[in-house]
């Protein structure tokens, strides 16, 4: 009953917003609402010792009972959403779904949307809500057919309208807002390299911000590729200085309000990255009460 009323609310909102896109939204609604079974259900504990703990962490056990996590990663371009979402996805056994990757796959496929998307992405602009929801719906339906349940979304939602639609069709348990000092963001995007064969993400930037005027320094070591990837590295066409600056501006204008959307619902966990992966990963696990989980996985390996 609750799902039915949630679905009809979202459908009504979507239809009101744009009558011609209703079938696409219906597709998203169908894709998201059946997430219910669980093979590795996870309940974070209630004793999070974090000044920014969202209210939802205290009630998560009740809200997510019986299914896998449904989490969202927010954060500026270059902050490392993909890196941490992918690590958590491995740890928790839920799919990591990056809408940026879906857009890049569509671009590479030379399908009907390809040239339209190329122009938008290389200018650092956002793809329309309709297109992105269509790509996400198809990905969720394909996952569902393979028996996937739960998700960690990376790069979605990026507008308040996307957040409203998602909120209307499913319960997002937690939104992790990754934050990194602004000086580091541009350097991280410019240093990003991708293996054209395996898709692995690496970084050649060495970020070394000196302590100044009472602000602590910060060091992030490069993330070099393994030897088998070293000769196959490519740079994303939207990782140029001009386009990254435009993406950062668009983040401020379009996505910053999404943080408020989730903050006001008590779902936002603010996480300031203290440095590179070696410093940040254990602290993130601690903020999520997941240290035990990793210990058990390492012991079983
Ligand atoms: P970023 O490093 O800027 O976070 P992503 O890899 O997440 O980049 O996304 C790459 C591009 O794909 C974006 O600049 C945008 O054009 C498009 N895109 C990805 N997700 C969305 C979304 N939810 N809404 C609109 N456009 C999106």
């Amino acid at each position: 009953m609750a799902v039915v009323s949630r679905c009809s609310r979202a459908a009504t909102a979507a239809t009101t917003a744009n009558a011609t896109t209703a079938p696409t939204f219906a597709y998203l609604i169908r894709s998201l609402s059946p997430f219910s079974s669980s093979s590795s259900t996870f309940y974070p504990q209630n004793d999070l010792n974090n000044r920014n703990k969202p209210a939802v962490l205290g009630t998560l056990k009740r809200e997510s009972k019986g299914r896998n996590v449904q989490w969202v990663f927010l954060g500026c371009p270059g902050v490392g959403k993909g890196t941490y979402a992918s690590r958590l996805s491995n740890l928790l056994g839920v799919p990591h779904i990056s809408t940026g990757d879906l857009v890049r796959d569509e671009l590479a496929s030379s399908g009907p949307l390809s040239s339209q998307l190329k122009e938008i992405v290389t200018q650092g602009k956002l793809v329309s809500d309709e297109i992105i929801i269509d790509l996400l719906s198809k990905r969720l339906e394909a996952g569902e057919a393979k028996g996937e349940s739960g998700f960690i979304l990376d790069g979605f939602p990026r507008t308040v309208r996307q957040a409203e639609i998602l909120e209307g069709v499913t319960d997002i348990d937690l939104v992790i807002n990754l934050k990194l000092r602004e000086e580091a963001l541009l350097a991280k995007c410019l240093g990003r390299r991708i293996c054209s064969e395996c898709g692995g993400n690496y970084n050649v930037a060495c970020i070394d911000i000196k302590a100044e005027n009472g602000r602590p320094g910060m060091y992030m070591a490069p993330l070099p590729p393994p030897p088998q990837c070293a000769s196959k590295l490519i740079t994303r066409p939207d990782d140029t200085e001009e386009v990254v600056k435009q993406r950062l501006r668009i983040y401020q204008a379009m996505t910053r309000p999404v943080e408020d959307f989730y903050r006001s619902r008590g779902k936002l966990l603010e996480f300031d990255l203290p440095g590179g992966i070696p410093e940040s990963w254990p602290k993130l696990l601690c903020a999520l009460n997941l240290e035990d989980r990793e210990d058990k996985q390492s012991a079983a390996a």
Side-chain angles (χ1 to χ4, degrees):
M1 183 63 181
V3 171
V4 173
S5 66
R6 274 205 307 277
C7 290
S8 60
R9 260 205 325 274
T12 310
T15 311
T16 313
N18 184 346
T20 60
T21 60
T24 299
F25 292 120
Y27 195 24
L28 178 74
I29 290 158
R30 267 207 322 280
S31 305
L32 284 168
S33 53
F35 279 106
S36 58
S37 64
S38 169
S39 52
S40 62
T41 308
F42 157 68
Y43 307 136
Q45 296 146 20
N46 294 349
D47 58 344
L48 183 76
N49 180 20
N50 183 316
R51 72 190 155 84
N52 293 317
K53 71 175 176 182
V56 73
L57 275 177
T59 55
L60 206 49
K61 188 164 179 172
R62 178 174 52 77
E63 290 185 3
S64 64
K65 199 169 180 200
R67 62 157 169 75
N68 286 344
V69 300
Q70 298 190 165
W71 288 359
V72 163
F73 263 91
L74 284 182
C76 288
V79 77
K81 296 185 293 294
T83 302
Y84 294 102
S86 152
R87 283 177 161 242
L88 281 174
S89 130
N90 288 334
L91 189 66
L92 300 175
V94 293
H96 163 211
I97 301 180
S98 151
T99 45
D101 285 347
L102 298 181
V103 167
R104 282 182 286 279
D105 288 348
E106 186 66 29
L107 263 171
S109 75
S110 315
L113 283 178
S114 183
S115 58
Q116 192 188 341
L117 288 179
K118 187 171 180 191
E119 202 176 316
I120 297 169
V121 173
T122 51
Q123 289 177 26
K125 294 182 180 161
L126 290 187
V127 172
S128 73
D129 291 343
E130 288 69 30
I131 291 178
I132 213 78
I133 284 171
D134 191 38
L135 292 176
L136 178 60
S137 299
K138 286 177 179 154
R139 167 63 186 83
L140 288 166
E141 282 220 334
E144 195 198 330
K146 288 191 289 182
E148 281 179 2
S149 107
F151 50 74
I152 297 179
L153 292 179
D154 152 14
F156 185 95
R158 240 176 168 102
T159 64
V160 169
R161 184 161 173 249
Q162 291 176 9
E164 283 168 351
I165 290 167
L166 189 62
E167 198 72 2
V169 296
T170 197
D171 286 326
I172 294 300
D173 308 316
L174 183 68
V175 178
I176 302 160
N177 189 25
L178 289 186
K179 288 150 93 176
L180 184 63
R181 289 165 65 155
E182 223 174 299
E183 309 97 288
L185 292 171
L186 179 62
K188 284 217 35 229
C189 283
L190 298 182
R192 179 156 48 197
R193 299 291 181 272
I194 295 154
C195 174
S196 55
E197 206 164 277
C198 73
N201 253 275
Y202 308 104
N203 211 298
V204 298
C206 178
I207 293 161
D208 192 2
I209 302 168
K210 303 287 172 222
E212 194 176 53
N213 302 330
R215 279 193 94 190
M218 175 189 255
Y219 180 75
M220 295 174 87
L223 186 60
Q228 68 273 21
C229 298
S231 62
K232 300 165 195 143
L233 297 185
I234 53 166
T235 306
R236 267 170 53 172
D238 57 344
D239 274 344
T240 63
E241 183 164 348
E242 191 191 342
V243 179
V244 172
K245 286 183 173 164
Q246 167 73 347
R247 281 158 52 207
L248 288 167
R249 279 194 292 272
I250 289 187
Y251 187 89
Q252 295 300 339
M254 305 298 292
T255 313
R256 203 60 90 188
V258 178
E259 297 176 8
D260 292 334
F261 178 92
Y262 287 117
R263 190 176 290 116
S264 68
R265 284 161 177 78
K267 294 188 174 184
L268 198 74
L269 174 74
E270 308 271 15
F271 187 79
D272 286 300
L273 289 158
I277 296 171
E279 301 86 10
S280 303
W281 177 239
K283 291 205 166 87
L284 180 61
L285 290 179
C286 186
L288 294 167
N289 288 356
L290 281 174
E291 317 95 302
D292 288 359
R293 186 91 172 195
E294 185 167 73
D295 291 347
K296 278 186 203 132
Q297 203 173 72
S298 314

